[in-house]
Amino acid sequence: MPTLLILNGPNLNLLGTREPEIYGRDTLEDIYRGLRETFPGVEFQTFQANGEGALIDRLHEARSGVDGVVFNPGAYTHTSIALFDAIKAVGLPVIEVHLSLPEAREPFRRHSFITPACKGKIAGLGPLGYRLAAQALLDMLGESP
Ligand code: DQA
């Protein structure tokens, strides 16, 4: 059974109530449930942290037992060379996901430090982006759910 890590960065624990006009009304738990319903043959590990170090540590831990990572780095997308380095260091396939379309928002969201370390990127499609990213990883891994 393939194992995917769903990794979420700062402030995403507040999904559901956080700026719903931008991020929608689904909570992280709703997003996780949607993934498990869509891909019953996949083991999902989930982790959310507000701190950069915890996200880096979780990526390191994923070297053992995880086949691919769906990663929404939140605002660290636009600031974190350390997360770029961590993705490169662990060598796992990572798909970057954003609920909103950062490029269509404030200018400071237009640059991602994360993208060059990733296999792909999905943005602006809300929770569907997580499911599309999981599907892409499964395709890359040669798994057909
Ligand atoms: C986000 C976009 C980021 O710019 C922002 O800082 C977030 C959420 C998204 O999912 O749309 O926290 O990653």
Side-chain angles (χ1 to χ4, degrees):
M1 185 187 272
T3 300
L4 301 182
L5 170 63
I6 312 301
L7 189 58
N8 282 285
N11 300 307
L12 294 166
N13 54 313
L14 299 184
L15 283 181
T17 57
R18 177 193 180 194
E19 299 184 273
E21 66 286 1
I22 296 174
Y23 298 115
R25 297 251 171 227
D26 280 10
T27 65
L28 262 193
E29 284 308 319
D30 293 333
I31 291 171
Y32 297 156
R33 191 177 323 110
L35 282 163
R36 292 192 168 104
E37 282 171 8
T38 308
F39 304 102
V42 173
E43 186 192 325
F44 287 103
Q45 298 181 5
T46 60
F47 186 78
Q48 185 277 332
N50 292 318
E52 199 173 7
L55 294 165
I56 292 167
D57 288 342
R58 189 64 186 85
L59 277 167
H60 292 181
E61 201 185 304
R63 281 175 301 167
S64 143
V66 170
D67 300 304
V69 183
V70 176
F71 189 17
N72 183 346
Y76 290 137
T77 305
H78 317 297
T79 63
S80 182
I81 296 168
L83 280 168
F84 166 88
D85 283 347
I87 295 168
K88 297 292 267 189
V90 299
L92 286 166
V94 175
I95 308 283
E96 180 182 347
V97 168
H98 301 282
L99 292 154
S100 68
L101 185 59
E103 290 81 359
R105 298 177 60 194
E106 299 95 330
F108 60 80
R109 295 186 203 277
R110 288 190 194 140
H111 180 258
S112 168
F113 281 96
I114 305 303
T115 306
C118 292
K119 293 280 185 209
K121 174 173 176 169
I122 298 167
L125 302 181
L128 172 63
Y130 286 77
R131 302 197 296 276
L132 293 174
Q135 179 67 66
L137 285 168
L138 294 172
D139 282 10
M140 278 175 212
L141 295 167
E143 303 278 346
S144 47

